[in-house]
Amino acid sequence: MIYLDNAATTRPKPPGVAQAVVQAMESYGNSGRGVHDDALAAARAIFGVRQRLAHRFGCSRADHVAFTPNATAALNIALSGLLGPEDHVISTDWEHNSVLRPLYRLEEAGMGVDFLPADSQGRLEYDRLESLLRPNTKVMVCTHASNLTGDQIDLTRISAFAKAHGLILILDASQTAGAYSIDMTGMGVDILCFTGHKSMLGPQGTGGLCVREGIFLRPFLVGGTGVQSFSKSQPEEWPTCLEAGTLNGHGIAGLSAALDYLDEAGCGTLERERQLARRFYDQVKDLPGVQIYGDFSTQERAPIVTLNIGDWDSSQISDELAERFDIATRPGAHCAPRLHRALGTTGQGAVRFSWGWANTQEETDRAAEAVRALALEE
Amino acid sequence: MVTFATTTSALAMEQACKAQGLPGRLIPAPRRITAGCGMCWSAPVESRERLEELIVRLQLDVDGIYRILL
């Protein structure tokens, strides 16, 4: 199988990740539940990853890194912890349902929400940002890169806008964390939400959020913490305020091994993935009937190429790619309904090709050749 | 005994003490100190001054420092 669905989850994981998970499963106790050697082994490992993530993402305090099962949970914690019916939030048409659905639920409860629109090419209309402001606007939440097109947001502009108007900036880094250099403090990001299983190359079931010191979040989940057991309420101290229930110590051990790989690889992996995506793009962009979505005028984009062929159902194309060419892609709506509407692909969906650290030039060329074959059949 | 509000703070203490070569270890917090649960840093009384200096210097989050007579 030529795996080009890395934007959904990276596969395979780097050497050492699976072994770290197995080793943790065979040796860890429950972090923070008891003080015997096995519990401490888990607690120390998790603490170590907290520190590494704080360092990696430019979060000033390791105890302001809270673990969650995924980016969706992190975004729910951030949005529901900050916002209420009296507030207004600005987001964008690029967002994944992990942002949209929490916002829509808050909207049902009375909160105001406006979206920076994308045009029919998927480009965000940044000039309209100011017009979306209201006196009660509290938060700006956006993705770092679209999971549908791979287009990168103009974070400098968004961050400056948020700062100029005193908004809390939440960044969904699902498609970028791990691959991109992210300094949340330097970039003006107040809350960074990430998942561990995409470009961080770790196990599914890992993720979290990094929160700037001074921001208060109402706990989303409350429950067991291993501390302050006789208190009726969730402890207020970080990161326990956001971490009810047993942490995924086994997965976090795998994430630690993935960080070892990322530390060694540096930014080289992303550049290589971008080159492969560009190579694919160059080979398919002029094929008859092929429509590619997103802005390829810049190299600064996530390694994603999303396309359609004629008026074929994207699901059919993806199935042909899988069954005849042994190529894994992702068709359909990609949990990004607003951007599909903007692109006019609500009915057809689109086929997403996304590169990861293990993909090769040969795989890329075979994928382009498969698209060529399908385009000529269309 | 140094007590903490969170496991994370306790681990930060352990890491700092190990780095500085200060004696001690994490133990289950004695119930005469806290009715909650969790861990505390247990260290010889003689190291108290150096511990307190470390806590201030590294801005470690601690709940309390207790002298326990065993």
Side-chain angles (χ1 to χ4, degrees):
Chain A
M1 171 71 77
I2 296 174
Y3 186 80
L4 291 173
D5 197 14
N6 291 280
T9 193
T10 46
R11 193 229 75 168
K13 304 304 179 187
V17 173
Q19 291 87 336
V21 174
V22 170
Q23 192 176 18
M25 292 181 83
E26 291 174 344
S27 62
Y28 281 3
N30 192 337
S31 166
R33 314 302 197 264
V35 196
H36 51 78
D37 284 350
D38 292 357
L40 280 175
R44 288 177 184 132
I46 290 170
F47 180 61
V49 177
R50 234 186 261 288
Q51 291 181 306
R52 294 178 75 180
L53 291 171
H55 178 70
R56 168 169 283 273
F57 293 137
C59 183
S60 63
R61 294 185 61 126
D63 62 1
H64 280 47
V65 178
F67 288 106
T68 63
N70 46 50
T72 296
L75 287 158
N76 270 273
I77 288 169
L79 293 168
S80 69
L82 280 172
L83 295 161
E86 68 282 7
D87 297 316
H88 173 253
V89 58
I90 300 174
S91 191
T92 84
D93 272 353
W94 282 9
E95 303 314 311
H96 187 277
N97 273 334
S98 56
V99 169
L100 296 176
R101 285 180 174 155
L103 290 181
Y104 292 147
R105 184 161 69 174
L106 283 159
E107 189 179 30
E108 279 179 18
M111 188 194 73
V113 56
D114 280 294
F115 295 93
L116 185 65
D119 66 18
S120 60
Q121 304 296 312
R123 292 172 299 215
L124 287 174
E125 300 176 17
Y126 292 102
D127 288 341
R128 294 173 64 175
L129 267 175
E130 301 277 342
S131 70
L132 302 179
L133 276 169
R134 293 191 204 167
N136 60 336
T137 306
K138 183 175 182 181
V139 164
M140 171 88 215
V141 54
C142 63
T143 185
H144 196 187
S146 162
N147 72 306
L148 173 55
T149 62
D151 286 353
Q152 246 172 262
I153 205 156
D154 185 346
L155 189 56
T156 304
R157 184 163 183 173
I158 294 282
S159 173
F161 169 75
K163 190 173 182 183
H165 298 285
L167 311 183
I168 295 170
L169 176 57
I170 302 174
L171 188 69
D172 171 10
S174 296
Q175 294 297 332
T176 57
Y180 287 58
S181 175
I182 294 177
D183 171 10
M184 62 181 282
T185 304
M187 292 168 157
V189 173
D190 297 299
I191 302 178
L192 178 80
C193 298
F194 64 93
T195 187
H197 72 99
K198 295 188 178 182
S199 43
M200 292 197 73
L201 309 179
Q204 295 174 7
T206 60
L209 64 166
C210 304
V211 183
R212 179 173 61 74
E213 190 173 10
I215 290 184
F216 171 75
L217 294 175
R218 287 185 302 273
F220 185 68
L221 290 176
V222 296
T225 58
V227 294
Q228 304 180 39
S229 289
F230 287 91
S231 168
K232 284 186 173 178
S233 57
Q234 186 75 1
E236 293 177 357
E237 293 81 6
W238 293 81
T240 311
C241 55
L242 302 184
E243 291 180 345
T246 295
L247 292 177
N248 181 6
H250 305 145
I252 293 169
L255 186 59
S256 180
L259 288 170
D260 292 341
Y261 175 86
L262 290 171
D263 286 347
E264 199 165 317
C267 291
T269 305
L270 175 63
E271 285 314 309
R272 203 173 140 277
E273 293 167 12
R274 279 175 167 166
Q275 285 169 12
L276 292 176
R278 177 69 60 169
R279 182 182 177 90
F280 174 82
Y281 168 79
D282 286 340
Q283 291 181 71
V284 304
K285 66 182 166 62
D286 296 323
L287 292 173
V290 169
Q291 164 87 43
I292 296 177
Y293 305 97
D295 180 7
F296 285 82
S297 66
T298 172
Q299 305 293 325
E300 301 291 310
R301 44 181 295 104
I304 290 172
V305 180
T306 297
L307 55 81
N308 272 315
I309 302 175
D311 57 1
W312 275 18
D313 183 328
S314 63
S315 298
Q316 189 185 349
I317 298 171
S318 186
D319 193 46
E320 296 277 339
L321 288 167
E323 291 302 307
R324 287 169 52 193
F325 300 96
D326 207 24
I327 297 170
T329 59
R330 170 91 188 275
H334 314 89
C335 304
R338 298 186 72 91
L339 187 49
H340 269 290
R341 276 192 208 109
L343 295 170
T345 49
T346 306
Q348 190 176 11
V351 187
R352 182 182 68 188
F353 298 75
S354 51
W355 280 258
W357 70 280
N359 288 125
T360 65
Q361 190 169 298
E362 186 198 349
E363 289 178 327
T364 302
D365 291 348
R366 281 175 57 193
E369 193 49 47
V371 173
R372 176 190 301 277
L374 292 174
L376 294 177
E377 288 173 19
E378 199 268 330
Chain B
M1 304 277 178
V2 183
T3 59
F4 309 93
T6 69
T7 301
T8 301
S9 299
L11 290 160
M13 184 79 188
E14 181 191 52
Q15 188 182 66
C17 288
K18 281 184 176 171
Q20 297 295 317
L22 291 184
R25 69 185 181 96
L26 290 169
I27 64 166
R31 299 190 56 82
R32 70 175 109 163
I33 295 179
T34 170
C37 55
M39 53 183 76
C40 71
W41 182 251
S42 170
V45 170
E46 308 84 69
S47 65
R48 178 166 187 154
E49 203 171 303
R50 283 186 295 164
L51 273 177
E52 288 179 335
E53 184 270 328
L54 190 68
I55 289 165
V56 171
R57 183 157 53 87
L58 298 184
Q59 296 181 305
L60 298 168
D61 289 325
V62 305
D63 242 13
I65 301 178
Y66 302 85
R67 180 176 173 149
I68 305 288
L69 298 175
L70 297 173

